[in-house]
Amino acid sequence: MAEAHPVGFQWVMEAKKRGAKVIHVDPRFTRTSALADLHVPIRAGADIAFVGGLINYVLTTGKFFREYVINYTNAATVLTGDFADTEDLDGVFSGLDREYRLYDMETWRYQGEEVRPAVGQRSPEETRARPTREQLRQIRAAGRGERHGSGGAACHPSPDTDETLQNPCCVFQVLKRHYARYTPEMVAEVTGIPEATFQKVCELLTENSGRDRTTAFVYSVGWTHHTIGAQNIRSASILQALLGNIGRPGGGVMALRGHASIQGSTDIPTLFDLLPGYLPMPHVYGNEDLSAYVAAETVQNGFWANTSDYMVSLLKAYWGDAATKDNDFCYGYLPRLTGSHSTFDTVLAQLDGVCTGYLLLGQNPAVGSANARMQRLGLANLDWLVVRDFSLTESATWWRNGPEIETGEMRTEDLKTEVFFLPAAAQTEKDGSFTNTQRLLQWHHTAVEPAGDARSDLWFTYHLGLRIRQKLAAAATEETAERDRPVLDLTWDYPVNGRLEEPDAQAVLAEINGWNSKGEPLSSYTQLKDDGSTTCGCWIYCGVYAGGVNQAARRVPGGQQNWIANEWGWAWPANRRVLYNRASADPDGRPWSERKALVWWDAENNRWTGHDVPDFIADRPPDYTPPDGATGVAAITGTDPFIMQNDGKAWLFAPAGMVDGPLPTHYEPQESPFANLLYGQQHNPVRQMISRPQSLYEPSGNEPGSGVFPYVATTIRLTEHHTAGGMSRFLPYLAELQPAFFCEVSPELAAERGLEHAGWATIVTARSAIEARVMVTERIRPLRVAGRVVHQVGLPWHWGLNGLTTGDAANELTHLSLDPNVHIQEDKAFACDIRPGRRPRGPALRDLVRDYQQRAGITPQTGTQP
Amino acid sequence: MSVSTPRGAPFASGPADGGLDPAARSGYADHPPRVGFFTDTSVCIGCKACEVACKEWNAVPEDGLELTGMSYDNTVGLGASTWRHVAFIEQPVTVVDAPSAPSRAEGVRWLMASDVCKHCTESACLDVCPTGALFRTEFGTVVVQDDVCNGCGYCVGACPFGVIARREEDGQAHKCTLCYDRLGAGMEPACAKACPTESIQFGPLDELRERAALRVADLRAAGQDQAQLYLNDPDDGIGGGGAFFLLLDEPEVYGLPPDPVVTTRDLPSIWKHVGLAAAGLVTAGIALGLGRRPR
């Protein structure tokens, strides 16, 4: 965190001043470790084994927060007898279709649920037919993991429960059994964490959780960039739920995002599989029209029961007056998913000649995306490419100085891609908001006008849209008129200001916030309706422009507020700073302790109150029980803090929502020097694989040839540089701080491979070979895993061939095996070789890679078994 | 108020004011309290925001795109174009409980510290400057004026810390000004403003010294027995620094001189001896001359 979020890290330092203990888990000792009380060295990719070990410790010692667990989690929920765990199936769950690489989640359901329940009062004919295997494959491929439910089956809101937690089919017992093999000895063997260190973590964690104390987990891409990335996060959520740390001050699981507003990029998404506010993008199967979409995607109880309110209000924001009840509010204009359309699938479509045009807005895939070479091969197959950025990044210049020009695989004069470079305005040159890691929206104001032709993304998109609409309208024929309606019917009329005709960003914010039929700004998502009378561009942001005031621009200093300080900026939803904070009070609505009071029930005024905005129905008393047959928000009981879940509980076991299992399970990374010590199942059986001649996998574990790549590689970040380097390698004051691409190796690895400190090394994988200067340091220690020593190599991923400081890109080495829930690349744990000296130049580079592939016996089938 | 500072330090005697008021000694009748830096390296996260903020504010040029191999320190040291320098020192430590580590049971400690001009109470660079380019400000800080400096380089050798140096591009001496222009506008120096963890603290020097004493006591009580203050003592060789530090190990570990002395300290004594020797020679010469009368 100190490396990548130095400014945010000041709050960790504040906490330290007040006596907090900081534990840092990382393969390397970094600047964060330097300020931590305990550094826990871990083999990259073994995090589920680690957290699973903590879960096992908590369960076997009984140190879970019992009252919290019984009341606020689904620990007591009983599953059907059909569920089979990894304990029964040597590492996989029931319902695995290996051939189609997907899980059927039928057997993961709660007991008490009828087969295929209709949602609400729907007639039998409206109940969707069960998808075919192929349809299910395409539904699963789309992932849409960030949305709330699975494709079709909503879990039952009132399942059978056993509050004694003894029923062998209850979640608690299933959980206990699932993690029973994650013993401290197993943790040490799999992760390389010394037993005594692990024991210390167990003690610190449990001593600091409960009524009076809470512990927070903070993570970033070191946890997400894995084929089991989403399950990594799940494992921390389970642990924190067991310890009663969710929804409590100083608790929770906090995601540090990869840059200043990437939270905003998932809220108002730049992701193919989501609509604003984590509504799922419609899929061609099951979401044919609005009512089918609502039926399939609505969850019976909780706030997702109001999906149609959010969806219709969004459609009104997109298409305004053109969206009416008669035309399904223009729902038909939305694209439909037929599978995975992630950025990697787009690259494949480019290679296959299907995708012929590409716009890169502040994105540098030639350096920043996995398998950088494949990215560039894709770019070379385009008809046209638009790059908007501050500097000429590698994604703008690959055609004249990319690695393929050097190797001779591409010749500039033979390339057909027409490349446009449009300079972009920086954040200081435009209005807008950042949504940071704690869901906080903070407005920023234009300080100076952009120079020359530089323009903001808002300007570019808006004016591009104006011109496209003009052209479409002008060229309209009878047959194109219908086709172009989705673009022409859009509301596209923001006010523009000044010489540059910059669209008013605040007007966009107002539209995101939404308004009612009288044009009055809304103040809460509970005001949203599905009759077309409300407009709202993102339901979770509703309230950011309440009263016509830009709440995100508020800057009341912390010293003038209470410790929650909710008058600085605005957090979604509804300016709640701690999500699920109902859980900070006991079932009677009293804080678990005075020390950890956050929100509580004020019986006198019949309202929830407290330091934070309560994340609950304001006037629902703790003892509220819903009437029989109640659905939606009305079905939330007074003791259901997890208001977004169908059953109002934190899910220790996830019957839906995760395509690769209801419980996190340790699998080895796609490429690993080790066999899975815990199960026969080596890898995530439903990981998303993209195996192409340009992107082969290495053998793993005990497979022949695995020894050719004996070291664990992990990509890392440095404070001095930013992501793919577009914002740091071109600036002298940053470039001089870290002026060369280097790799970090231990003295032992340096001795083993003959590497010299400050000399050169070549790092090789089945994809490519790169060169880096060598940083020999004790901060990356060899670990003992499965009875032998393993070395890890740290590779900063910031470098490319352009700028003041240049170097090879770490992503030349990475492969395309993705987390199947969210299509994220696994660049935090893969296997490599390292050797002294600079890499070959020209065609000899590809010869070296081919040589390694041959020695390892790599074929297109290697590593692809489910 | 005139900014003229009387030269005379080489011939002055030691500070009569406990070293806390160099501005008064430089002739300011009415001046604000002495300000400076307390750099608490125990909370430094090595982010180098201080290096960047300083360069941005003062338009200091980039000065080297070479990997040094010195841990994460590619800046190496203070100079004409580096006025804040973050040092990184990796130290092996013995960790008691790591039985599973393959070859040795050790851990690592990583010291990080932001170095800066010390704005000495007894300032050698100030003492030796022949043009008056270097002067003492009303804040007690030491500043070099670009438009006066003739590039003679006397100050470079005089500094016991190797802070001030000449810039190749213009041949002139440059160093930290403690953001004199920002102080004049009631603002804190750029590095202090940028530091996210308040490792760099700016304020009245006496207040900083009090705060530092408490902090080092806390650290020692918590078991950090090598924690120490550096250049906080007015009785040290430079009369105490306007910028002083909390270190977690000996100064040498950080590349700092353990017992710095203002290099002009012995000048009065040297001149006195020179004077005596001259007087002696003259006396001897006269005596010889007197004894040699022509016959």
Side-chain angles (χ1 to χ4, degrees), chain A residues 6 9-10 13 17 28-31 34-35 194 196 200 718 720 733 735-739 744 748 757 773 775 777-779 781-782 784 789, chain B residues 42-46 48 51-52 55-56 60 62-67 69 71-72 74 90 97 100 102-104 106 108 110 112 196-198:
Chain A
F9 196 74
Q10 69 180 288
M13 297 303 288
K17 260 190 231 171
R28 300 155 53 240
F29 186 100
T30 71
R31 282 173 270 204
L35 277 304
K200 208 181 272 176
L718 303 166
E720 297 85 345
Y733 293 156
E736 65 174 332
L737 298 177
Q738 291 283 14
E744 289 196 344
E748 290 82 356
H757 180 67
R773 303 290 293 281
M775 179 88 68
T777 169
E778 305 261 6
R779 294 180 293 99
R781 291 158 49 183
R784 192 155 201 93
V789 170
Chain B
S42 71
V43 298
C44 176
I45 57 172
K48 307 178 191 173
E51 292 198 33
V52 176
K55 291 215 178 188
E56 289 276 8
V60 175
E62 164 261 300
D63 61 346
L65 290 167
E66 280 302 311
L67 186 78
S71 188
Y72 280 6
N74 292 296
E90 298 182 27
D97 46 13
S100 314
S103 54
R104 75 250 180 271
E106 274 174 27
V108 149
W110 207 2
M112 297 177 277
T197 58
E198 293 181 338

Coordinates of all heavy atoms in Angstrom, one line a residue, chain A residues 6 9-10 13 17 28-31 34-35 194 196 200 718 720 733 735-739 744 748 757 773 775 777-779 781-782 784 789, chain B residues 42-46 48 51-52 55-56 60 62-67 69 71-72 74 90 97 100 102-104 106 108 110 112 196-198:
Chain A
P6 N 0.8 5.9 -1.6 CA 1.6 6.5 -0.5 C 0.7 7.6 0.2 O 0.9 7.7 1.5 CB 2.7 7.2 -1.2 CG 2.4 7.2 -2.7 CD 1.5 6.1 -2.9
F9 N -1.7 5.8 2.5 CA -0.9 5.1 3.5 C -0.7 6.0 4.7 O -0.5 5.5 5.8 CB 0.4 4.6 3.0 CG 1.1 3.5 3.8 CD1 0.6 2.2 3.8 CD2 2.1 3.8 4.7 CE1 1.1 1.3 4.6 CE2 2.7 2.9 5.5 CZ 2.2 1.6 5.4
Q10 N -0.9 7.3 4.6 CA -0.8 8.1 5.8 C -1.8 7.7 6.9 O -1.5 7.9 8.1 CB -0.9 9.6 5.4 CG -2.4 10.0 5.0 CD -2.5 11.5 4.7 OE1 -2.4 12.3 5.6 NE2 -2.7 11.7 3.4
M13 N -0.4 5.0 8.8 CA 0.5 5.5 9.8 C -0.2 6.2 11.0 O 0.3 6.1 12.1 CB 1.5 6.6 9.1 CG 2.3 6.0 8.0 SD 3.3 4.6 8.5 CE 4.6 5.5 9.5
K17 N 0.1 5.2 14.9 CA 0.4 6.1 16.0 C -0.5 5.8 17.1 O -0.2 6.0 18.3 CB 0.1 7.5 15.5 CG 1.4 8.3 15.2 CD 1.0 9.8 14.9 CE 1.6 10.3 13.6 NZ 1.2 11.6 13.2
R28 N 7.5 -10.1 -1.4 CA 8.7 -9.3 -1.2 C 8.5 -8.4 0.0 O 7.4 -8.0 0.4 CB 8.9 -8.4 -2.4 CG 9.1 -9.1 -3.7 CD 8.7 -8.2 -4.8 NE 9.4 -6.9 -4.8 CZ 8.8 -5.7 -4.7 NH1 7.5 -5.7 -4.7 NH2 9.5 -4.6 -4.7
F29 N 9.6 -8.0 0.6 CA 9.7 -7.0 1.6 C 9.7 -5.6 0.9 O 10.7 -5.3 0.3 CB 10.9 -7.2 2.5 CG 11.0 -6.4 3.7 CD1 10.6 -6.9 5.0 CD2 11.4 -5.1 3.6 CE1 10.7 -6.1 6.1 CE2 11.5 -4.3 4.8 CZ 11.2 -4.8 6.0
T30 N 8.6 -4.9 1.0 CA 8.5 -3.6 0.2 C 8.6 -2.4 1.2 O 8.8 -2.6 2.4 CB 7.2 -3.6 -0.6 OG1 6.2 -3.4 0.4 CG2 7.0 -4.8 -1.4
R31 N 8.3 -1.3 0.6 CA 8.3 -0.1 1.5 C 7.1 -0.2 2.5 O 7.2 0.5 3.6 CB 8.2 1.2 0.6 CG 9.5 1.6 0.0 CD 9.5 2.7 -0.9 NE 9.3 2.2 -2.3 CZ 9.6 2.9 -3.4 NH1 10.2 4.1 -3.3 NH2 9.4 2.4 -4.6
A34 N 8.5 -2.2 5.4 CA 9.4 -1.4 6.2 C 8.7 -0.7 7.3 O 9.3 -0.5 8.4 CB 10.1 -0.4 5.3
L35 N 7.4 -0.4 7.2 CA 6.7 0.3 8.2 C 5.7 -0.7 9.0 O 5.0 -0.2 9.9 CB 5.9 1.5 7.6 CG 6.7 2.8 7.4 CD1 7.3 3.3 8.7 CD2 7.7 2.7 6.3
P194 N 6.7 -19.4 7.2 CA 7.1 -20.2 8.4 C 6.0 -20.4 9.4 O 5.2 -19.4 9.6 CB 8.2 -19.3 9.0 CG 8.7 -18.4 7.9 CD 7.5 -18.2 7.0
A196 N 5.8 -20.4 12.6 CA 5.7 -19.5 13.7 C 5.2 -18.2 13.3 O 4.4 -17.5 14.0 CB 7.1 -19.3 14.3
K200 N 1.7 -16.4 14.5 CA 1.6 -15.0 15.0 C 0.5 -14.3 14.4 O -0.3 -13.5 15.0 CB 3.0 -14.3 14.7 CG 3.3 -13.2 15.7 CD 4.6 -12.5 15.4 CE 5.8 -13.1 16.0 NZ 7.0 -12.4 15.6
L718 N 6.1 0.1 -8.4 CA 7.0 1.0 -7.7 C 6.3 2.3 -7.5 O 5.5 2.7 -8.3 CB 8.3 1.2 -8.5 CG 9.1 0.0 -8.9 CD1 10.1 0.3 -9.9 CD2 9.7 -0.6 -7.6
E720 N 7.4 5.2 -7.7 CA 7.8 6.2 -8.6 C 7.2 6.2 -10.0 O 7.2 7.2 -10.7 CB 9.4 6.2 -8.8 CG 10.2 6.4 -7.5 CD 10.3 5.1 -6.7 OE1 9.6 4.1 -6.9 OE2 11.2 5.1 -5.8
Y733 N 11.2 14.2 -13.6 CA 11.3 14.1 -12.2 C 10.9 12.7 -11.7 O 11.3 12.4 -10.6 CB 10.4 15.2 -11.5 CG 10.9 16.6 -11.8 CD1 10.0 17.6 -11.7 CD2 12.2 16.9 -12.1 CE1 10.4 18.9 -11.9 CE2 12.6 18.2 -12.3 CZ 11.7 19.2 -12.2 OH 12.1 20.5 -12.4
A735 N 11.1 9.9 -13.9 CA 12.0 9.0 -14.6 C 13.4 8.9 -13.9 O 13.9 7.8 -13.8 CB 12.2 9.4 -16.0
E736 N 13.8 10.0 -13.3 CA 15.2 9.9 -12.7 C 15.1 9.2 -11.4 O 16.2 8.7 -10.9 CB 15.8 11.3 -12.5 CG 15.0 12.2 -11.5 CD 15.7 13.5 -11.3 OE1 17.0 13.6 -11.4 OE2 15.0 14.5 -11.0
L737 N 14.0 9.0 -10.8 CA 13.9 8.3 -9.5 C 14.0 6.8 -9.7 O 14.6 6.1 -8.8 CB 12.6 8.6 -8.8 CG 12.4 10.1 -8.4 CD1 11.0 10.3 -7.8 CD2 13.4 10.6 -7.5
Q738 N 13.5 6.3 -10.7 CA 13.6 4.9 -11.1 C 13.9 4.8 -12.6 O 13.0 4.7 -13.4 CB 12.4 4.0 -10.8 CG 12.1 3.9 -9.3 CD 12.9 2.8 -8.6 OE1 14.0 2.4 -9.1 NE2 12.5 2.4 -7.4
P739 N 15.2 5.0 -12.9 CA 15.6 5.2 -14.3 C 15.8 4.0 -15.2 O 16.2 4.1 -16.3 CB 16.9 6.0 -14.2 CG 17.5 5.5 -12.9 CD 16.4 5.2 -12.0
E744 N 14.0 -8.0 -9.3 CA 14.5 -8.3 -7.9 C 14.7 -9.8 -7.7 O 13.8 -10.6 -8.0 CB 13.5 -7.7 -6.9 CG 13.5 -6.2 -6.9 CD 12.9 -5.6 -5.6 OE1 12.2 -6.3 -4.9 OE2 13.1 -4.4 -5.4
E748 N 20.6 -15.7 -3.1 CA 20.7 -17.2 -3.4 C 20.4 -17.4 -4.9 O 21.1 -18.2 -5.5 CB 19.7 -17.9 -2.5 CG 20.1 -18.0 -1.0 CD 19.7 -16.8 -0.3 OE1 19.2 -15.8 -0.9 OE2 19.8 -16.7 0.9
H757 N 24.7 -8.1 -9.3 CA 23.9 -6.9 -8.9 C 24.3 -5.8 -9.9 O 25.4 -5.5 -10.1 CB 24.3 -6.6 -7.5 CG 23.6 -5.3 -7.0 ND1 22.2 -5.3 -6.8 CD2 24.0 -4.1 -6.7 CE1 21.9 -4.1 -6.4 NE2 22.9 -3.4 -6.3
R773 N 17.9 -5.0 -15.7 CA 19.0 -4.8 -14.8 C 18.7 -5.7 -13.5 O 17.5 -6.0 -13.2 CB 19.2 -3.4 -14.4 CG 19.4 -2.5 -15.6 CD 20.7 -2.7 -16.2 NE 21.8 -2.3 -15.4 CZ 22.3 -1.0 -15.2 NH1 21.6 0.0 -15.8 NH2 23.3 -0.8 -14.4
M775 N 18.7 -6.4 -9.5 CA 18.7 -5.9 -8.2 C 18.7 -7.1 -7.2 O 17.7 -7.7 -7.0 CB 17.5 -5.0 -7.9 CG 17.4 -4.4 -6.5 SD 18.2 -2.8 -6.4 CE 17.1 -1.8 -7.4
T777 N 18.8 -8.5 -3.7 CA 18.3 -7.9 -2.5 C 17.8 -9.0 -1.5 O 17.2 -10.0 -2.0 CB 17.2 -6.9 -2.7 OG1 16.7 -6.5 -1.4 CG2 16.2 -7.4 -3.6
E778 N 18.0 -8.8 -0.3 CA 17.5 -9.8 0.7 C 16.0 -9.6 0.9 O 15.4 -10.4 1.7 CB 18.2 -9.5 2.1 CG 19.7 -9.5 2.1 CD 20.2 -10.8 2.6 OE1 19.4 -11.7 2.9 OE2 21.4 -10.9 2.7
R779 N 15.5 -8.6 0.3 CA 14.0 -8.3 0.5 C 13.1 -9.3 -0.2 O 11.9 -9.4 0.0 CB 13.7 -6.9 0.1 CG 14.3 -5.8 0.9 CD 13.9 -4.4 0.5 NE 14.5 -4.1 -0.8 CZ 13.8 -4.2 -2.0 NH1 12.5 -4.6 -2.0 NH2 14.3 -3.9 -3.1
R781 N 13.0 -13.2 -0.4 CA 13.7 -14.3 0.2 C 13.3 -15.6 -0.5 O 12.1 -15.7 -0.8 CB 13.4 -14.4 1.7 CG 14.0 -13.3 2.5 CD 13.3 -13.1 3.8 NE 13.1 -14.3 4.6 CZ 12.4 -14.3 5.7 NH1 11.9 -13.2 6.2 NH2 12.2 -15.4 6.4
P782 N 14.2 -16.6 -0.6 CA 13.7 -17.9 -1.0 C 12.8 -18.5 0.0 O 12.9 -18.2 1.2 CB 15.0 -18.7 -1.1 CG 16.1 -17.8 -0.8 CD 15.6 -16.5 -0.2
R784 N 10.6 -22.1 1.5 CA 10.6 -23.5 1.5 C 9.2 -24.0 1.2 O 8.3 -23.8 2.0 CB 11.1 -24.0 2.8 CG 11.4 -25.5 2.7 CD 12.4 -25.9 3.8 NE 13.0 -27.2 3.4 CZ 14.1 -27.3 2.6 NH1 14.8 -26.2 2.3 NH2 14.6 -28.4 2.2
V789 N 13.4 -25.6 -1.9 CA 13.5 -24.2 -2.0 C 12.9 -23.7 -3.3 O 13.2 -24.2 -4.3 CB 15.0 -23.8 -1.9 CG1 15.2 -22.3 -2.2 CG2 15.6 -24.1 -0.5
Chain B
S42 N 11.7 7.7 11.1 CA 11.0 6.5 11.5 C 9.7 6.3 10.8 O 9.1 5.2 10.8 CB 10.9 6.4 13.0 OG 9.9 7.4 13.4
V43 N 9.1 7.4 10.2 CA 7.8 7.3 9.6 C 7.9 7.6 8.1 O 6.9 7.7 7.4 CB 6.7 8.2 10.2 CG1 6.5 7.8 11.6 CG2 7.1 9.6 10.1
C44 N 9.2 7.6 7.6 CA 9.3 7.8 6.1 C 9.0 6.6 5.4 O 9.4 5.5 5.8 CB 10.8 8.2 5.9 SG 11.2 8.4 4.1
I45 N 8.2 6.7 4.3 CA 7.8 5.5 3.5 C 8.6 5.5 2.2 O 8.2 4.7 1.3 CB 6.3 5.5 3.3 CG1 5.8 6.7 2.6 CG2 5.5 5.2 4.6 CD1 4.3 6.6 2.1
G46 N 9.6 6.4 2.1 CA 10.4 6.3 0.9 C 9.7 6.7 -0.4 O 10.1 6.3 -1.5
K48 N 9.4 9.5 -2.0 CA 10.2 10.6 -2.7 C 9.3 11.7 -3.2 O 9.7 12.5 -4.1 CB 10.9 10.0 -3.9 CG 11.8 8.8 -3.6 CD 12.5 8.2 -4.8 CE 13.1 6.9 -4.5 NZ 13.6 6.2 -5.7
E51 N 11.3 14.8 -2.9 CA 12.2 15.1 -4.0 C 11.5 15.8 -5.2 O 12.0 16.7 -5.8 CB 12.9 13.8 -4.5 CG 13.8 13.2 -3.5 CD 14.8 12.2 -4.1 OE1 15.2 12.4 -5.3 OE2 15.2 11.2 -3.5
V52 N 10.3 15.2 -5.5 CA 9.6 15.7 -6.7 C 9.0 17.1 -6.4 O 9.1 18.0 -7.2 CB 8.5 14.7 -7.1 CG1 7.7 15.3 -8.2 CG2 9.1 13.4 -7.5
K55 N 11.7 19.8 -6.6 CA 12.1 20.1 -8.0 C 11.0 20.9 -8.7 O 11.3 21.8 -9.5 CB 12.4 18.8 -8.7 CG 13.7 18.2 -8.2 CD 14.5 17.5 -9.3 CE 15.8 16.9 -8.7 NZ 16.7 16.4 -9.8
E56 N 9.7 20.5 -8.5 CA 8.6 21.1 -9.2 C 8.6 22.6 -8.7 O 8.5 23.5 -9.6 CB 7.3 20.4 -8.9 CG 7.1 19.1 -9.5 CD 6.6 19.1 -10.9 OE1 6.5 20.2 -11.5 OE2 6.3 18.1 -11.5
V60 N 14.1 22.9 -10.3 CA 15.4 22.3 -10.3 C 15.5 21.3 -11.4 O 14.6 20.4 -11.5 CB 15.7 21.6 -8.9 CG1 17.0 20.9 -8.9 CG2 15.6 22.7 -7.8
E62 N 16.3 17.9 -13.7 CA 16.6 16.5 -13.5 C 18.1 16.3 -13.6 O 18.8 17.0 -14.4 CB 15.9 15.7 -14.7 CG 16.3 14.3 -14.9 CD 17.3 14.2 -16.0 OE1 16.9 14.5 -17.2 OE2 18.5 13.8 -15.8
D63 N 18.6 15.5 -12.7 CA 20.1 15.4 -12.7 C 20.6 14.0 -12.7 O 21.4 13.6 -12.0 CB 20.6 16.2 -11.5 CG 20.2 15.6 -10.2 OD1 19.2 14.9 -10.2 OD2 20.8 16.0 -9.2
G64 N 20.1 13.2 -13.6 CA 20.7 11.9 -13.8 C 19.8 10.7 -14.0 O 18.9 10.5 -13.1
L65 N 19.9 10.0 -15.1 CA 19.0 8.9 -15.4 C 19.8 7.6 -15.4 O 19.7 6.8 -16.3 CB 18.3 9.1 -16.8 CG 17.3 10.3 -16.8 CD1 16.9 10.6 -18.3 CD2 16.0 9.9 -16.1
E66 N 20.6 7.4 -14.3 CA 21.4 6.2 -14.3 C 20.9 5.4 -13.1 O 20.8 5.9 -12.0 CB 22.8 6.6 -14.0 CG 23.6 7.0 -15.3 CD 23.6 5.9 -16.4 OE1 23.9 4.8 -16.0 OE2 23.2 6.2 -17.5
L67 N 20.8 4.1 -13.3 CA 20.5 3.2 -12.2 C 21.7 3.0 -11.4 O 22.8 2.7 -11.9 CB 20.1 1.8 -12.8 CG 19.6 0.8 -11.7 CD1 18.2 1.1 -11.3 CD2 19.7 -0.6 -12.3
G69 N 21.9 1.1 -8.5 CA 22.1 -0.2 -7.8 C 22.1 0.0 -6.3 O 22.2 -1.0 -5.5
S71 N 20.0 0.2 -3.7 CA 18.7 -0.1 -3.3 C 17.8 0.8 -4.2 O 17.9 0.9 -5.4 CB 18.5 0.2 -1.8 OG 17.2 -0.2 -1.4
Y72 N 16.8 1.5 -3.6 CA 15.9 2.3 -4.4 C 16.4 3.7 -4.5 O 15.6 4.6 -5.0 CB 14.5 2.3 -3.9 CG 13.7 1.0 -4.2 CD1 14.3 -0.1 -4.9 CD2 12.4 0.9 -3.9 CE1 13.6 -1.2 -5.2 CE2 11.6 -0.3 -4.2 CZ 12.2 -1.3 -4.8 OH 11.5 -2.4 -5.2
N74 N 18.3 6.2 -6.4 CA 19.0 6.6 -7.7 C 19.4 8.1 -7.7 O 19.8 8.6 -8.7 CB 18.1 6.3 -8.9 CG 17.9 4.8 -9.0 OD1 18.9 4.0 -9.3 ND2 16.7 4.3 -8.8
E90 N 19.3 -1.0 3.2 CA 18.8 -2.4 3.6 C 19.7 -3.0 4.5 O 20.9 -3.1 4.3 CB 18.7 -3.2 2.3 CG 17.7 -2.6 1.3 CD 17.5 -3.5 0.1 OE1 17.7 -4.7 0.1 OE2 17.2 -2.9 -1.0
D97 N 12.1 -16.4 14.9 CA 11.3 -17.6 14.6 C 11.1 -17.7 13.1 O 10.1 -17.3 12.6 CB 10.0 -17.5 15.3 CG 9.4 -16.1 15.1 OD1 9.9 -15.4 14.3 OD2 8.4 -15.8 15.8
S100 N 11.7 -22.3 9.0 CA 11.5 -22.9 7.6 C 12.3 -22.3 6.5 O 12.3 -22.7 5.4 CB 10.0 -22.9 7.2 OG 9.2 -23.3 8.3
P102 N 15.3 -21.4 4.2 CA 16.2 -22.4 3.8 C 17.6 -22.3 4.3 O 18.2 -23.2 4.8 CB 16.2 -22.3 2.3 CG 15.5 -21.0 2.0 CD 14.7 -20.7 3.1
S103 N 18.2 -21.1 4.3 CA 19.6 -21.0 4.6 C 19.9 -20.3 5.9 O 20.9 -20.6 6.6 CB 20.4 -20.4 3.5 OG 19.9 -19.2 3.2
R104 N 19.1 -19.3 6.2 CA 19.4 -18.6 7.5 C 18.1 -18.0 8.0 O 17.2 -17.7 7.3 CB 20.4 -17.5 7.2 CG 19.9 -16.3 6.5 CD 20.4 -16.1 5.1 NE 19.8 -14.9 4.4 CZ 18.7 -14.9 3.8 NH1 18.0 -16.0 3.7 NH2 18.3 -13.8 3.2
E106 N 16.8 -15.1 9.0 CA 17.1 -13.6 9.0 C 15.9 -12.9 8.4 O 15.1 -13.4 7.6 CB 18.3 -13.3 8.2 CG 19.6 -13.4 9.0 CD 20.8 -13.2 8.2 OE1 20.7 -12.5 7.2 OE2 21.9 -13.8 8.5
V108 N 14.8 -8.5 7.3 CA 15.4 -7.3 6.7 C 14.9 -6.1 7.4 O 13.7 -6.1 7.8 CB 15.1 -7.3 5.2 CG1 15.0 -5.9 4.6 CG2 16.2 -8.1 4.4
W110 N 14.6 -2.0 6.5 CA 14.9 -1.0 5.4 C 14.7 0.4 5.9 O 13.6 0.8 6.2 CB 13.8 -1.3 4.3 CG 14.3 -0.9 2.9 CD1 15.5 -0.4 2.5 CD2 13.5 -1.0 1.7 NE1 15.5 -0.2 1.2 CE2 14.3 -0.6 0.7 CE3 12.2 -1.5 1.5 CZ2 13.8 -0.6 -0.7 CZ3 11.7 -1.5 0.2 CH2 12.5 -1.0 -0.9
M112 N 14.8 4.3 5.6 CA 14.5 5.3 4.6 C 14.6 6.7 5.2 O 14.0 6.9 6.3 CB 13.2 5.1 3.9 CG 13.1 3.7 3.2 SD 11.6 3.2 2.5 CE 10.7 2.6 3.9
P196 N 3.5 12.7 2.8 CA 2.2 12.2 3.3 C 2.1 11.7 4.7 O 1.1 11.7 5.3 CB 1.9 11.0 2.3 CG 3.2 10.6 1.8 CD 4.1 11.8 1.8
T197 N 3.3 11.4 5.3 CA 3.3 10.8 6.6 C 3.8 11.7 7.7 O 4.0 11.3 8.8 CB 4.1 9.5 6.6 OG1 5.4 9.8 6.2 CG2 3.5 8.4 5.7
E198 N 4.0 13.0 7.3 CA 4.6 14.0 8.2 C 6.0 13.5 8.7 O 6.3 13.7 9.9 CB 3.7 14.3 9.4 CG 2.4 15.0 8.9 CD 1.5 15.3 10.0 OE1 1.5 14.6 11.1 OE2 0.6 16.2 9.9

